[in-house]
Amino acid sequence: MRYDIRKPPQEGIAPPTRRQISRIPALNIPTFKILIISKEFPWSIDIRAPVGSVVTCGTIFEELHKQLQRHIEGAEWAMVAVDRTRKEAVEKAAKLRQEKDKIKRLKRIDWLGDKSMFEGLAKDKEFEKMIHLPGNVRVAETWVARFGKW
């Protein structure tokens, strides 16, 4: 399923589809915690199931959207500022977003530039190993979020 992650799931996913998939467990094996990483951004997103539940597709959509609405922090901007192409893409995405939501601060969603189409999660053990912070405990259910252009 593809979905424009700039929008909350209730706006970006058709209501019948959202109702159908929102309560479906995200994985075949009941999971209480999933770590999401991506080749498109430098941070990880920790998704935990509500008490007494498992991580569902709805939980993933909601949390991804929520985390990408956070403001870009100074250290994140420092990574963008030294990469002219990335900086231009972030600024262009921010300008388009700011015309609609009037929030002038940069958001993490802007980091994606024109790749705001959430295309799903995939396993990539090599990428996971490459970006794992030495000394940290690995999360068994680590998945890579894939994004594409509209």
Side-chain angles (χ1 to χ4, degrees), residues 48-75:
R48 296 175 187 265
V51 176
S53 183
V54 297
V55 175
T56 64
C57 294
T59 308
I60 289 176
F61 295 137
E62 291 287 339
E63 198 60 30
L64 268 175
H65 175 75
K66 177 181 163 187
Q67 292 301 319
L68 291 172
Q69 296 306 305
R70 292 177 55 191
H71 296 291
I72 289 179
E73 297 180 16

Short mmCIF file of all heavy atoms in Angstrom, two decimals, residues 48-75:
data_model
loop_
_atom_site.label_atom_id
_atom_site.label_comp_id
_atom_site.label_asym_id
_atom_site.label_seq_id
_atom_site.Cartn_x
_atom_site.Cartn_y
_atom_site.Cartn_z
N ARG A 48 6.09 1.38 19.54
CA ARG A 48 5.68 0.43 20.58
C ARG A 48 4.16 0.30 20.57
O ARG A 48 3.45 1.28 20.39
CB ARG A 48 6.14 0.92 21.95
CG ARG A 48 7.65 0.98 22.08
CD ARG A 48 8.07 1.58 23.42
NE ARG A 48 9.49 1.79 23.46
CZ ARG A 48 10.35 0.93 23.99
NH1 ARG A 48 9.92 -0.18 24.52
NH2 ARG A 48 11.64 1.18 23.98
N ALA A 49 3.72 -0.92 20.80
CA ALA A 49 2.29 -1.17 20.85
C ALA A 49 1.72 -0.63 22.15
O ALA A 49 2.40 -0.62 23.18
CB ALA A 49 2.03 -2.67 20.77
N PRO A 50 0.47 -0.18 22.12
CA PRO A 50 -0.19 0.21 23.38
C PRO A 50 -0.25 -1.02 24.31
O PRO A 50 -0.26 -2.16 23.83
CB PRO A 50 -1.60 0.61 22.93
CG PRO A 50 -1.49 0.88 21.47
CD PRO A 50 -0.38 0.01 20.96
N VAL A 51 -0.30 -0.78 25.58
CA VAL A 51 -0.36 -1.87 26.57
C VAL A 51 -1.51 -2.81 26.22
O VAL A 51 -2.62 -2.37 25.93
CB VAL A 51 -0.52 -1.30 28.00
CG1 VAL A 51 -0.69 -2.43 29.00
CG2 VAL A 51 0.67 -0.44 28.35
N GLY A 52 -1.21 -4.10 26.22
CA GLY A 52 -2.24 -5.10 25.95
C GLY A 52 -2.53 -5.31 24.47
O GLY A 52 -3.51 -5.95 24.12
N SER A 53 -1.70 -4.76 23.60
CA SER A 53 -1.93 -4.86 22.16
C SER A 53 -0.63 -5.25 21.45
O SER A 53 0.38 -5.47 22.09
CB SER A 53 -2.44 -3.52 21.63
OG SER A 53 -2.74 -3.61 20.26
N VAL A 54 -0.69 -5.32 20.14
CA VAL A 54 0.49 -5.55 19.31
C VAL A 54 0.60 -4.39 18.34
O VAL A 54 -0.36 -3.63 18.15
CB VAL A 54 0.40 -6.89 18.54
CG1 VAL A 54 0.35 -8.07 19.49
CG2 VAL A 54 -0.77 -6.91 17.58
N VAL A 55 1.75 -4.25 17.71
CA VAL A 55 1.93 -3.19 16.72
C VAL A 55 1.06 -3.55 15.51
O VAL A 55 1.15 -4.65 14.96
CB VAL A 55 3.40 -3.04 16.30
CG1 VAL A 55 3.54 -2.02 15.17
CG2 VAL A 55 4.26 -2.61 17.48
N THR A 56 0.22 -2.60 15.11
CA THR A 56 -0.66 -2.80 13.97
C THR A 56 -0.22 -1.92 12.81
O THR A 56 0.60 -1.01 12.98
CB THR A 56 -2.11 -2.44 14.33
OG1 THR A 56 -2.16 -1.04 14.63
CG2 THR A 56 -2.63 -3.27 15.50
N CYS A 57 -0.79 -2.17 11.65
CA CYS A 57 -0.51 -1.31 10.50
C CYS A 57 -0.90 0.13 10.82
O CYS A 57 -0.18 1.07 10.48
CB CYS A 57 -1.26 -1.81 9.27
SG CYS A 57 -0.69 -3.41 8.69
N GLY A 58 -2.04 0.29 11.49
CA GLY A 58 -2.48 1.63 11.88
C GLY A 58 -1.50 2.33 12.79
O GLY A 58 -1.24 3.52 12.64
N THR A 59 -0.93 1.57 13.74
CA THR A 59 0.07 2.14 14.65
C THR A 59 1.27 2.65 13.86
O THR A 59 1.79 3.74 14.13
CB THR A 59 0.55 1.08 15.67
OG1 THR A 59 -0.57 0.48 16.30
CG2 THR A 59 1.46 1.68 16.72
N ILE A 60 1.70 1.89 12.88
CA ILE A 60 2.86 2.29 12.07
C ILE A 60 2.55 3.55 11.28
O ILE A 60 3.33 4.50 11.28
CB ILE A 60 3.30 1.14 11.15
CG1 ILE A 60 3.95 0.05 12.00
CG2 ILE A 60 4.27 1.64 10.07
CD1 ILE A 60 4.35 -1.19 11.26
N PHE A 61 1.40 3.59 10.60
CA PHE A 61 1.04 4.79 9.83
C PHE A 61 0.96 6.02 10.72
O PHE A 61 1.48 7.08 10.38
CB PHE A 61 -0.30 4.60 9.11
CG PHE A 61 -0.27 3.53 8.04
CD1 PHE A 61 -1.32 2.65 7.92
CD2 PHE A 61 0.79 3.42 7.16
CE1 PHE A 61 -1.31 1.67 6.94
CE2 PHE A 61 0.81 2.45 6.18
CZ PHE A 61 -0.25 1.56 6.07
N GLU A 62 0.30 5.90 11.87
CA GLU A 62 0.14 7.03 12.79
C GLU A 62 1.49 7.51 13.31
O GLU A 62 1.77 8.71 13.33
CB GLU A 62 -0.75 6.63 13.97
CG GLU A 62 -2.20 6.39 13.62
CD GLU A 62 -2.98 7.66 13.31
OE1 GLU A 62 -2.56 8.75 13.73
OE2 GLU A 62 -4.02 7.53 12.64
N GLU A 63 2.32 6.59 13.74
CA GLU A 63 3.61 6.98 14.35
C GLU A 63 4.58 7.53 13.32
O GLU A 63 5.30 8.49 13.60
CB GLU A 63 4.22 5.78 15.10
CG GLU A 63 5.28 6.17 16.08
CD GLU A 63 4.82 7.11 17.19
OE1 GLU A 63 3.64 7.07 17.59
OE2 GLU A 63 5.68 7.89 17.68
N LEU A 64 4.62 6.96 12.13
CA LEU A 64 5.48 7.51 11.08
C LEU A 64 5.09 8.95 10.78
O LEU A 64 5.94 9.84 10.72
CB LEU A 64 5.36 6.69 9.79
CG LEU A 64 6.33 5.55 9.59
CD1 LEU A 64 5.97 4.77 8.33
CD2 LEU A 64 7.75 6.03 9.52
N HIS A 65 3.80 9.18 10.59
CA HIS A 65 3.34 10.54 10.30
C HIS A 65 3.70 11.48 11.46
O HIS A 65 4.25 12.56 11.24
CB HIS A 65 1.83 10.56 10.05
CG HIS A 65 1.32 11.96 9.88
ND1 HIS A 65 1.53 12.69 8.74
CD2 HIS A 65 0.65 12.77 10.73
CE1 HIS A 65 1.00 13.88 8.89
NE2 HIS A 65 0.46 13.96 10.09
N LYS A 66 3.41 11.05 12.67
CA LYS A 66 3.68 11.88 13.86
C LYS A 66 5.17 12.23 13.97
O LYS A 66 5.53 13.39 14.19
CB LYS A 66 3.23 11.12 15.11
CG LYS A 66 3.51 11.84 16.41
CD LYS A 66 3.04 10.97 17.58
CE LYS A 66 3.64 11.43 18.88
NZ LYS A 66 3.33 10.51 19.97
N GLN A 67 6.03 11.25 13.80
CA GLN A 67 7.47 11.49 13.96
C GLN A 67 8.03 12.38 12.85
O GLN A 67 8.96 13.14 13.07
CB GLN A 67 8.24 10.17 14.02
CG GLN A 67 7.96 9.36 15.27
CD GLN A 67 8.30 10.12 16.53
OE1 GLN A 67 9.31 10.81 16.63
NE2 GLN A 67 7.43 10.01 17.53
N LEU A 68 7.45 12.29 11.66
CA LEU A 68 7.91 13.12 10.56
C LEU A 68 7.38 14.56 10.64
O LEU A 68 7.82 15.43 9.89
CB LEU A 68 7.56 12.48 9.21
CG LEU A 68 8.34 11.20 8.92
CD1 LEU A 68 7.80 10.52 7.67
CD2 LEU A 68 9.82 11.47 8.80
N GLN A 69 6.47 14.82 11.57
CA GLN A 69 5.98 16.18 11.80
C GLN A 69 6.85 16.93 12.82
O GLN A 69 6.67 18.13 13.02
CB GLN A 69 4.53 16.16 12.28
CG GLN A 69 3.56 15.61 11.25
CD GLN A 69 3.66 16.31 9.92
OE1 GLN A 69 3.55 17.54 9.83
NE2 GLN A 69 3.90 15.56 8.86
N ARG A 70 7.78 16.23 13.45
CA ARG A 70 8.67 16.89 14.41
C ARG A 70 9.58 17.87 13.69
O ARG A 70 9.90 17.70 12.51
CB ARG A 70 9.51 15.84 15.15
CG ARG A 70 8.67 14.97 16.06
CD ARG A 70 9.46 13.89 16.75
NE ARG A 70 10.58 14.47 17.47
CZ ARG A 70 11.56 13.75 18.00
NH1 ARG A 70 11.57 12.44 17.89
NH2 ARG A 70 12.54 14.33 18.65
N HIS A 71 10.02 18.89 14.40
CA HIS A 71 10.92 19.88 13.82
C HIS A 71 12.31 19.30 13.65
O HIS A 71 12.77 18.49 14.46
CB HIS A 71 10.99 21.13 14.70
CG HIS A 71 9.69 21.84 14.81
ND1 HIS A 71 9.10 22.52 13.77
CD2 HIS A 71 8.82 21.97 15.85
CE1 HIS A 71 7.95 23.03 14.15
NE2 HIS A 71 7.75 22.71 15.41
N ILE A 72 12.98 19.73 12.59
CA ILE A 72 14.38 19.36 12.38
C ILE A 72 15.21 20.07 13.43
O ILE A 72 15.02 21.27 13.68
CB ILE A 72 14.84 19.74 10.95
CG1 ILE A 72 14.18 18.82 9.93
CG2 ILE A 72 16.36 19.68 10.84
CD1 ILE A 72 14.54 19.12 8.48
N GLU A 73 16.11 19.34 14.05
CA GLU A 73 16.95 19.90 15.10
C GLU A 73 18.29 20.37 14.52
O GLU A 73 18.62 20.05 13.37
CB GLU A 73 17.16 18.86 16.19
CG GLU A 73 15.84 18.49 16.87
CD GLU A 73 16.00 17.46 17.96
OE1 GLU A 73 17.14 17.24 18.42
OE2 GLU A 73 14.98 16.88 18.35
N GLY A 74 19.04 21.10 15.32
CA GLY A 74 20.29 21.69 14.86
C GLY A 74 21.28 20.71 14.27
O GLY A 74 21.86 20.96 13.21
N ALA A 75 21.48 19.58 14.93
CA ALA A 75 22.44 18.59 14.43
C ALA A 75 21.97 17.99 13.11
O ALA A 75 22.78 17.70 12.22
CB ALA A 75 22.64 17.48 15.47
#
